Amino acid sequence: MNTRPDFSRHANHAETAPAYFSAWDLHAYYGESYIVQGVSFNVHEGEILALLGRNGAGKTSTLRTIARLGNPELKHGEVWLDHQPLHRMNSAQASVSGCGLVPEDRRIIPGLTVEENLKLAQITPPVGWSLERLYELFPRLGERRKQEGVTLSGGEQQMLAIARALARDIKLLLLDEPYEGLAPVIVQEIEKTLNLIKTQGITTIIVEQNAVAALNLADRAVILDTGQVVFDGTAKEVLDNEELRHNYLAI
């Protein structure tokens, strides 16, 4: 077990965000387990950032900390989205402020159709994402709007989970293992959709074990190792650096 750090040694951070999204010196715990150990990075508006690392590096924990889910518990640090202090909010408040997390298990609600899943998430009245606009982005969901969500294929469920996040009129999309268990052709389809979402100004952070696919999609990459940032730069730098990929991504 790691020793808890003395947070008093950290300088006070001016309460202004240097980028559209900013995570500053995040320290978070599951109980006594010190998982996120001083993570800092920025993401500019409309940018796609790949948050990478080996299993257990702290990627999902960092996403959950950003989304203010409460577990892991944020002990120190700040999270800013479009000048809003997410670190002062609970998960519901962060969601209202524009932070949308799509978890690995997608959490499609049983017993509800595709359209009912979307309507349940949609803000009232819709501001940026009407059902018609969502179906235009995800035509397959439009074709299956009356079908129970949990009966969709894995790729279709992932599309529904992303569409449901957009329905809340989010500014920041957090994706946890969106390609898990999907065939390569479906991964390519979701990549095309994420690029379309990017053109709408949505900022995206993607955690993905398929690092090459994530890097080919992303503008920038942050690599974690044992809860700490070991690289922050462009996606191309990672793709071009064999030593970095071998040491931290096993590719």
Side-chain angles (χ1 to χ4, degrees):
M1 182 181 69
N2 292 287
T3 304
R4 290 180 181 268
D6 177 11
F7 294 134
S8 64
R9 73 177 184 269
H10 297 284
N12 291 328
H13 181 52
E15 295 193 345
T16 56
Y20 187 73
F21 170 84
S22 177
W24 179 79
D25 200 25
L26 304 183
H27 296 259
Y29 292 80
Y30 286 109
E32 292 296 316
S33 297
Y34 184 23
I35 304 299
V36 180
Q37 304 183 19
V39 167
S40 299
F41 60 89
N42 297 327
V43 190
H44 297 290
E45 185 172 9
E47 196 172 50
I48 299 177
L49 181 133
L51 185 61
L52 304 175
R54 296 174 184 265
N55 287 334
K59 305 181 300 295
T60 293
S61 296
T62 298
L63 280 195
R64 291 177 61 87
T65 300
I66 291 168
R68 307 302 299 120
L69 293 183
N71 195 7
E73 182 183 2
L74 179 63
K75 293 289 189 179
H76 178 83
E78 298 178 9
V79 183
W80 292 87
L81 174 61
D82 193 18
H83 306 290
Q84 299 176 89
L86 300 190
H87 55 282
R88 297 178 182 170
M89 303 179 187
N90 59 33
S91 59
Q93 293 167 331
S95 177
V96 170
S97 296
C99 180
L101 172 65
V102 177
E104 183 180 356
D105 61 8
R106 298 162 189 151
R107 298 185 186 174
I108 307 303
I109 302 174
L112 297 185
T113 66
V114 167
E115 192 155 296
E116 287 168 340
N117 266 276
L118 293 175
K119 284 183 174 179
L120 190 63
Q122 197 170 40
I123 63 171
T124 305
V127 177
W129 293 91
S130 64
L131 287 177
E132 291 72 22
R133 188 181 177 198
L134 288 169
Y135 291 147
E136 182 179 347
L137 184 63
F138 299 94
R140 197 174 302 182
L141 296 183
E143 295 168 1
R144 291 158 174 74
R145 67 179 70 190
K146 300 303 180 185
Q147 183 174 334
E148 187 178 356
V150 294
T151 67
L152 299 176
S153 69
E156 291 165 347
Q157 286 191 33
Q158 187 64 60
M159 293 176 191
L160 177 55
I162 295 171
R164 190 176 56 187
L166 293 175
R168 296 198 297 272
D169 201 32
I170 60 171
K171 303 173 183 177
L172 176 68
L173 178 63
L174 306 175
L175 296 172
D176 192 8
E177 304 286 358
Y179 305 152
E180 177 68 25
L182 302 184
V185 65
I186 303 300
V187 169
Q188 291 174 5
E189 188 171 348
I190 291 176
E191 286 175 340
K192 290 178 182 177
T193 301
L194 293 176
N195 274 317
L196 286 172
I197 291 170
K198 178 182 177 179
T199 67
Q200 304 302 307
I202 303 295
T203 303
T204 301
I205 300 175
I206 179 171
V207 163
E208 179 53 56
Q209 283 300 318
N210 186 344
V212 173
L215 288 166
N216 283 326
L217 174 71
D219 302 293
R220 290 182 43 249
V222 167
I223 299 176
L224 301 183
D225 186 50
T226 59
Q228 299 176 334
V229 174
V230 293
F231 174 86
D232 185 341
T234 68
K236 186 178 185 304
E237 286 178 282
V238 181
L239 288 169
D240 291 345
N241 190 323
E242 183 177 354
E243 183 178 1
L244 182 68
R245 288 187 280 107
H246 174 75
N247 288 343
Y248 295 110
L249 303 177
I251 59 174

